């Protein structure tokens, strides 16, 4: 097998709440290959967001390891960690997430700016990413001049513009009606697969989950 782009090995996370230990995640192992899409479903509070945060190195596990492209987050610290995240992870979250005073193009450009990509290449990659999600004619619009579905497509373009090894999506269609949600999810899945990115897609929507190559279910912090 090719090396997994995303890997969780016995990941555990416990939260302390008023001295009470709450299980966020308990021994979760998962491998996602480049170009593979895995849907994660499960009830509210089952650990889906906790898992994505650990995979993205935004939180630290109490047990186990999380790796992107074979690199263990535990080996990365400070600026190096942030830079690795910018280069290897794309995020799509439900609603918000876009800068309200920045145009669609400027929003998509953010990861490239942070990564100091040269201006000409930035422009070309932003245009290609917006085109890929069907928003070529909307580059100069502000988020509130776009429909909800269009805003989510800007978020998809932004997540993919860096050609990340991993795309981590937390309810990317949650604020949309089902037809719109399916269209956005389809774009996300197709574009990510085309780029060879591994996708971990958290969703409540069964028709979105069916687009994945594989589905896993979290319950009380465990995969089943
Ligand atoms: N920072 C935190 N402090 C304390 N408890 C937390 C924290 N983050 C998550 N939890 C707890 O961990 C468990 C898993 O939370 P998580 O956000 O991963 O659930 P989820 O599956 O994403 O739910 P939803 O579908 O509602 O988004 C919950 O019981 C939650 O209350
Ligand atoms: Mg969540």
């Amino acid at each position: 097998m090719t090396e997994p782009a995303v890997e969780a090995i016995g990941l555990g996370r416990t939260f302390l709440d008023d001295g009470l230990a709450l299980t966020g995640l308990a021994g979760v192992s998962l491998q996602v290959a480049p170009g593979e899409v895995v849907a994660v479903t499960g009830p509210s509070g089952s650990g889906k967001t906790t898992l994505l945060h650990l995979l993205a190195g935004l939180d630290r596990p109490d047990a186990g390891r999380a790796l992107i492209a074979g690199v263990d987050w535990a080996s990365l610290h400070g600026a190096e960690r942030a830079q690795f995240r910018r280069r290897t992870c794309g995020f799509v979250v439900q609603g918000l997430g876009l800068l309200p005073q920045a145009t669609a193009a400027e929003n998509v450009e953010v990861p490239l700016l942070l990564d100091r990509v040269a201006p000409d290449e930035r422009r070309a990659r932003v245009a290609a990413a917006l085109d890929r999600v069907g928003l070529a004619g909307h580059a100069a619009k502000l988020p509130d001049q776009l429909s909800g579905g269009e805003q989510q497509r800007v978020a998809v373009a932004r997540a993919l513009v860096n050609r990340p090894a991993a795309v981590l999506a937390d309810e990317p269609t949650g604020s949309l009606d089902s037809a719109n949600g399916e269209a956005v999810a389809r774009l996300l899945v197709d574009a990510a697969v085309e780029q060879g990115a591994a996708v971990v897609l958290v969703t409540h929507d069964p028709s979105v989950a069916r687009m994945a190559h594989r589905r896993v279910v979290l319950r009380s912090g465990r995969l089943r």
Side-chain angles (χ1 to χ4, degrees):
M1 184 189 161
T2 47
E3 184 179 57
V6 174
E7 187 168 21
I9 305 168
L11 268 189
R13 179 74 168 98
T14 304
F15 297 106
L16 277 180
D17 189 31
D18 248 349
L20 207 72
L22 267 174
T23 301
L25 225 50
V28 167
S29 295
L30 179 71
Q31 293 191 336
V32 190
E36 187 185 21
V37 180
V38 173
V40 180
T41 61
S44 183
S46 59
K48 304 182 296 297
T49 297
T50 302
L51 173 61
L52 284 192
H53 284 174
L54 290 171
L55 291 176
L58 292 167
D59 187 16
R60 290 169 198 272
D62 304 302
R65 308 194 289 144
L67 298 84
I68 298 288
V71 176
D72 190 334
W73 280 113
S75 70
L76 297 170
H77 305 276
E80 203 185 18
R81 192 174 169 101
Q83 184 188 58
F84 181 74
R85 185 181 302 115
R86 283 200 303 273
R87 293 193 173 159
T88 60
C89 295
F91 300 94
V92 192
V93 294
Q94 173 179 354
L96 301 176
L98 297 180
L99 305 168
Q101 263 116 313
T103 66
E106 287 163 350
N107 269 287
V108 174
E109 192 179 18
V110 167
L112 302 176
L113 276 171
L114 291 172
D115 216 23
R116 302 202 173 87
V117 174
D120 284 353
E121 192 183 340
R122 283 206 308 268
R123 263 190 296 279
R125 280 166 70 174
V126 167
L130 282 173
D131 192 38
R132 183 67 187 75
V133 299
L135 291 177
H138 299 268
K141 286 190 173 174
L142 297 173
D144 71 0
Q145 298 170 318
L146 295 166
S147 73
E150 288 165 349
Q151 289 177 34
Q152 284 304 86
R153 283 190 271 155
V154 173
V156 168
R158 183 184 53 186
L160 291 164
V161 74
N162 252 359
R163 301 201 157 261
V167 173
L168 306 164
D170 199 352
E171 292 282 354
T173 65
S175 56
L176 304 174
D177 63 57
S178 59
N180 247 316
E182 276 180 52
V184 168
R186 175 50 63 197
L187 263 173
L188 169 64
V189 166
D190 288 351
V193 169
E194 210 175 281
Q195 293 190 8
V199 182
V200 182
L201 172 59
V202 168
T203 184
H204 279 120
D205 185 336
S207 59
V208 168
R210 275 195 294 274
M211 290 178 199
H213 301 120
R214 194 149 53 94
R215 288 177 286 281
V216 299
V217 183
L218 267 177
R219 278 197 203 286
S220 306
R222 292 174 192 282
L223 277 190
R224 28 158 283 159

